[in-house]
Amino acid sequence: MTRLLVANGTLVDPVARTSAPADLLVEGERVAAVGAPGTLEAADATLVDARGLLVLPGLVDIHVHLREPGQEYKETVATGSAAALAGGFTTLATMANTNPVNDNGAVTQYVLERGRMVAGARVHAIGAVSVGLQGERMAEIGEMHRAGIVAVSDDGRPIMSASLMRHALEYTQLFGLPVIAHEEDDALCCGGVMNEGPTAVRLGLRGRPAAAEEVMIARDVALVELTGGHLHVAHLSTARGVELVRQAKARGLRVTAEVTPHHLFLTEEAVGDYDTNAKMAPPLRTRADVEALRQGLADGTIDAIATDHAPHHQDEKDCEFDEAAFGVVGLETALPLGLRLVAEGVLDLPTLVERMSVGPARILGLPAGTLAAGGLADLVLVDPERKWKVAARAFRSKGRNTPFEGWDVAGRALVTMVGGRILHDERAATPQLRVAS
Amino acid sequence: MAFTQRHLLGLEGLSAADITAVLDTAASFKEINERDIKKVPTLRGKTVINLFYESSTRTRTSFEIAAKRLSADTINVSASGSSVSKGETLADTARNLEAMRPDAIVVRHGSSGACNFLARHVTCPIINAGDGCHEHPTQALLDCLTIKEHRGEIAGLTVAIVGDLLHSRVGRSNVHALRALGAKVRLVGPPTLLPQEFAGLGVELHTRLADGVRDADVVMMLRIQRERQGRNYFPSVDEYAHYYCLTEDVVRLAKPQVIILHPGPLNRGLEISSAVADGPYSVIMNQVTNGLAVRMAVLYMLVARSKSVDVGETEALSEPARGRSGARA
Ligand SMILES: [Zn+2]
Ligand SMILES: [Zn+2]
């Protein structure tokens, strides 16, 4: 059995919410022991020197679009997994809007099998709520559950039928699965391509109002009250949306929520001169919304940071704004942006790590995100000082559609380990990643 | 009379000096259109492409005549009957057009920002002839020229713009131009078609026609798109007309010397009554005439500024880097 001693690092424990020097002994695929520096008995272990580095549990992203099967030109499980490892993520859950849609056990098995074959990050599958994401007939949730799904979602599309949503929230309780909801009322969005507000009026673009998100969250909270199901609100984007989740939690309802890095850092003004890399659904909102999302993340109203990594081919973004695809990539920029939240005083470091590991894992009931002895040795060594410039051409993802191109960021995953195996290693100097000037 | 822009993508952010430069140049070009031989050699050897994704005979013809009166060669590319309708992307089209080495491309497109997009992909000047719900700068410039001719200075005038502001590129461009030139602007329309965000542009908002028109110096009507009915912006064209049709009764609320503008084509009896459209305050036909002069001015200012003007064709063509400097700004 291989033994690794991860020594001299600063171990961030998201459960105890502490950050302190510690060594960590890995035996096989599990963490064997955690102890004060120099105290672990590990004479025969290979040393992984973590001096100056943060040792974090592998990050968990519960909202990615890996595009396989069907749109491998945008991304594959292999390229998405490589992007995840480079970004410090060891666990992913991939959405059902593939082609064919993951609305049956066979597609679930295919996706999970691809994940095992690439032997990268742990890939989990989210099944569709409705057949073909059509929002009409319920998909074979039980069959997909037997095949291994961890949640259901029609993400990419809202579930406009309140009755279907009600039944999904009821039926999933049989399997203990959350219903992940893309909360935007179609009729209110009405073909909109960005936030409804001054920028849309100025640019002459059709807007999607904040209320489109809020009426759906309000509806679904009422349905949770009716059914007792578990609603997970994907990519919160508005201040009132945060407030609705806060109130639901205060009433003891099973409502969880996530936020994306882009909604935590960018406003509608990022659309600027029709920049299609700022086009996503829900859209970038206002400064007040950004502040409310940050507050909600800090106070625990929002349980998780999720990337909503949505790779598209260049041609699908290099076109008229109206025509451009919705969505941005995020796996390779989420960690440094998260660390920027810490630098800006929004969160402390253990809380950030909690929101990016054990917090999201808990939503899907995954045994990930901790560094406790006996747990899986999924971990990431991060150089918090490493400065680099976001350059999409250097991404492992096939997607180049980032709104953060050219940003100067700090913090990089140098080593990513899944089940005790080092699958990503940047410890050797990679000068092209350093800031040029 | 310097014009500082490389393209004419919109009037947002343009200085009063830039706008005035176009208007003054246009005024000087009007004389050419009164001559017996309505042609000057100013843009001889230059090629102007009219790229029209939306059909608009009026605007396209106006640009085409403007180019021809300046002796430029014009090529019309329309969405029907070209590769554009066969699924070619706008980026591909831009690359293909670029290969023809045009000196300017006039673009009409159904998507807001399409001209901004093209300006990033080609090196020659782009002239926006209407993009989606964004801007229609030459229309607003011809409106300003028309107002100036009838009322002297624009600064200090009260201008009411009436109709579907939400979807109007003409309205947006006029707000920018009129505000830059110092007019007081009122926007008037049903609440469904009048986003409150316009208030941020320094204009007054009115939902009642009488309030908007009262004591106005200029009333500018926008064309109502009948296809908007059924989207619940308003219940019916009859009801729209009841509340927003500019009739003689309403016009009487404005200043006695008020002028009435309309970009055409008119929906008579819907947004404007025939009595008003054909009446003494209407300057609608002057707008059409001024459109030609404004487009000549814009072509002249964007195309003729390059240093190869007035040299032989051969020399102009043998200058590969022409127009490239600053293209990526
Ligand atoms: Zn979504
Ligand atoms: Zn998504």
Side-chain angles (χ1 to χ4, degrees):
Chain A
M1 187 184 293
T2 54
R3 282 158 59 88
L4 299 173
L5 182 68
V6 181
N8 310 317
T10 300
L11 196 143
V12 183
D13 182 339
V15 179
R17 302 267 166 108
T18 57
S19 174
D23 292 353
L24 186 144
L25 182 65
V26 174
E27 285 185 357
E29 63 172 9
R30 295 191 178 267
V31 175
V34 179
T39 61
L40 296 183
E41 199 53 59
D44 55 340
T46 308
L47 177 71
V48 178
D49 188 6
R51 194 177 306 272
L53 305 181
L54 302 173
V55 181
L56 317 180
L59 305 179
V60 177
D61 192 351
I62 60 173
H63 189 151
V64 299
H65 298 269
L66 293 186
R67 308 297 187 199
E68 186 176 352
Q71 294 183 306
E72 287 82 355
Y73 70 97
K74 296 188 186 201
E75 190 84 291
T76 63
V77 173
T79 57
S81 177
L85 294 172
F89 290 94
T90 53
T91 298
L92 304 177
T94 177
M95 284 295 176
N97 63 340
T98 49
N99 184 16
V101 170
N102 182 16
D103 60 5
N104 63 76
V107 177
T108 304
Q109 279 172 3
Y110 176 82
V111 172
L112 295 179
E113 184 55 33
R114 296 299 298 161
R116 279 188 290 270
M117 278 173 64
V118 303
R122 298 179 196 273
V123 175
H124 294 276
I126 296 167
V129 172
S130 68
V131 174
L133 305 180
Q134 294 299 302
E136 287 160 15
R137 272 186 313 122
M138 203 190 288
E140 298 276 7
I141 293 174
E143 180 188 302
M144 290 189 289
H145 176 64
R146 291 197 298 281
I149 59 167
V150 291
V152 291
S153 180
D154 275 2
D155 182 56
R157 296 190 184 181
I159 296 175
M160 287 314 299
S161 160
S163 149
L164 173 64
M165 191 61 172
R166 175 216 174 132
H167 292 134
L169 285 165
E170 285 172 340
Y171 192 67
T172 47
Q173 292 176 57
L174 197 50
F175 314 107
L177 297 174
V179 179
I180 302 176
H182 180 124
E183 303 286 40
E184 284 193 294
D185 183 298
D186 261 344
L188 280 174
C189 289
C190 187
V193 292
M194 68 170 297
N195 184 45
E196 181 175 310
T199 308
V201 163
R202 188 171 67 76
L203 295 174
L205 293 172
R206 189 179 286 277
R208 302 163 91 89
E213 174 167 315
E214 293 149 6
V215 297
M216 290 291 277
I217 297 175
R219 182 199 76 173
D220 289 347
V221 167
L223 293 174
V224 170
E225 203 140 22
L226 175 68
T227 62
H230 177 182
L231 171 73
H232 176 70
V233 180
H235 41 51
L236 264 180
S237 74
T238 76
R240 196 167 296 117
V242 175
E243 193 48 42
L244 287 164
V245 171
R246 188 175 284 128
Q247 288 163 6
K249 286 190 161 178
R251 293 213 303 281
L253 300 176
R254 291 185 70 195
V255 175
T256 54
E258 73 192 27
V259 63
T260 71
H262 44 276
H263 288 111
L264 290 168
F265 280 95
L266 302 171
T267 68
E268 60 183 2
E269 284 162 34
V271 174
D273 190 20
Y274 301 94
D275 182 356
T276 56
N277 284 326
K279 180 177 175 182
M280 65 282 288
L284 300 171
R285 306 285 187 186
T286 67
R287 179 53 52 194
D289 293 308
V290 167
E291 292 306 324
L293 290 165
R294 290 174 163 213
Q295 178 58 38
L297 185 67
D299 69 20
T301 301
I302 299 174
D303 306 83
I305 293 175
T307 64
D308 195 4
H309 177 79
H312 291 293
H313 189 268
Q314 192 180 327
D315 290 345
E316 292 163 310
K317 285 289 193 182
D318 190 21
C319 59
E320 301 90 313
F321 199 89
D322 282 338
E323 304 289 318
F326 288 94
V328 299
V329 291
L331 283 168
E332 290 165 85
T333 47
L335 175 61
L337 291 169
L339 290 168
R340 183 178 285 207
L341 290 174
V342 175
E344 291 179 9
V346 177
L347 305 170
D348 60 26
L349 182 59
T351 305
L352 170 73
V353 174
E354 198 278 344
R355 301 287 189 270
M356 296 185 80
S357 61
V358 69
R362 206 179 282 133
I363 292 163
L364 300 187
L366 300 173
T370 74
L371 291 176
L376 290 166
D378 292 359
L379 53 103
V380 54
L381 273 50
V382 174
D383 179 352
E385 307 294 332
R386 174 79 74 99
K387 292 185 170 47
W388 55 289
K389 196 183 270 296
V390 176
R393 66 188 151 68
F395 283 170
R396 271 72 164 180
S397 169
K398 286 191 185 181
R400 300 285 181 261
N401 45 312
T402 175
F404 298 109
E405 179 75 15
W407 278 40
D408 289 312
V409 293
R412 199 163 172 95
L414 293 192
V415 174
T416 308
M417 191 186 297
V418 180
R421 293 168 61 200
I422 293 175
L423 298 181
H424 173 79
D425 194 343
E426 271 185 33
R427 277 173 297 180
T430 46
Q432 75 274 15
L433 295 169
R434 291 183 188 280
V435 180
S437 56
Chain B
M1 256 193 291
F3 186 65
T4 61
Q5 308 295 309
R6 236 190 82 71
H7 305 282
L8 186 66
L9 304 175
L11 299 183
E12 187 192 3
L14 247 66
S15 65
D18 271 338
I19 295 171
T20 304
V22 180
L23 299 183
D24 290 350
T25 307
S28 71
F29 274 129
K30 283 191 77 168
E31 178 266 326
I32 295 169
N33 298 319
E34 306 300 325
R35 291 183 196 171
D36 231 19
I37 295 172
K38 303 175 178 58
K39 200 159 179 151
V40 292
T42 316
L43 297 186
R44 198 175 54 214
K46 300 286 183 176
T47 302
V48 176
I49 295 179
N50 284 325
L51 177 62
F52 274 59
Y53 284 79
E54 283 183 345
S55 60
S56 167
T57 310
R58 296 160 58 101
T59 304
R60 189 185 54 71
T61 307
S62 180
F63 268 109
E64 190 173 352
I65 296 173
K68 289 202 153 92
R69 291 209 172 153
L70 296 171
S71 300
D73 296 318
T74 60
I75 298 167
N76 291 314
V77 181
S78 60
S80 56
S82 75
S83 52
V84 167
S85 59
K86 294 175 191 127
E88 186 179 84
T89 67
L90 194 53
D92 287 338
T93 303
R95 282 186 274 271
N96 286 324
L97 293 176
E98 181 75 353
M100 298 180 203
R101 296 272 178 268
D103 296 285
I105 305 177
V106 177
V107 185
R108 161 69 64 99
H109 199 287
S111 282
S112 302
C115 299
N116 304 62
F117 177 89
L118 281 170
R120 288 194 289 266
H121 283 74
V122 301
T123 50
C124 71
I126 297 288
I127 298 168
N128 183 354
D131 64 327
C133 302
H134 178 218
E135 286 221 38
H136 192 350
T138 57
Q139 176 68 42
L141 290 167
L142 74 88
D143 290 338
C144 289
L145 181 58
T146 307
I147 295 169
K148 245 183 128 165
E149 283 177 354
H150 287 85
R151 301 302 306 267
E153 277 311 299
I154 286 175
L157 294 179
T158 297
V159 182
I161 309 178
V162 184
D164 178 358
L165 275 308
L166 177 61
H167 300 99
S168 179
R169 49 200 179 201
V170 175
R172 263 180 197 72
S173 285
N174 265 300
V175 166
H176 297 310
L178 292 166
R179 290 282 301 134
L181 296 175
K184 257 182 73 181
V185 178
R186 299 173 182 168
L187 303 183
V188 190
T192 45
L193 295 170
L194 185 63
Q196 292 301 302
E197 285 83 1
F198 268 116
L201 299 178
V203 300
E204 268 177 41
L205 307 182
H206 291 279
T207 53
R208 288 170 205 280
L209 183 59
D211 296 345
V213 169
R214 188 165 289 119
D215 298 324
D217 297 285
V218 178
V219 178
M220 184 183 292
M221 302 306 294
L222 301 174
R223 186 180 147 77
I224 279 294
Q225 310 272 309
R226 284 165 188 273
E227 55 271 27
R228 304 260 184 250
Q229 201 200 335
R231 288 192 148 201
N232 289 326
Y233 289 114
F234 48 87
S236 66
V237 290
D238 287 348
E239 186 153 323
Y240 182 87
H242 180 80
Y243 289 104
Y244 294 100
C245 183
L246 191 68
T247 60
E248 289 177 293
D249 283 349
V250 180
V251 171
R252 267 191 279 279
L253 298 171
K255 292 251 180 79
Q257 67 278 38
V258 66
I259 55 170
I260 312 292
L261 288 83
H262 190 296
L266 305 166
N267 290 304
R268 288 170 182 270
L270 173 50
E271 71 257 351
I272 191 164
S273 73
S274 279
V276 173
D278 307 328
Y281 307 112
S282 168
V283 295
I284 295 170
M285 290 334 283
N286 303 67
Q287 289 176 268
V288 178
T289 311
N290 285 339
L292 190 54
V294 158
R295 284 160 188 140
M296 288 170 74
V298 168
L299 285 167
Y300 169 74
M301 297 180 106
L302 290 177
V303 178
R305 285 191 314 146
S306 89
K307 59 180 185 291
S308 57
V309 169
D310 292 332
V311 298
E313 273 185 31
T314 325
E315 191 182 338
L317 286 173
S318 66
E319 199 184 337
R322 175 176 45 97
R324 277 178 193 274
S325 60
R328 299 294 168 203

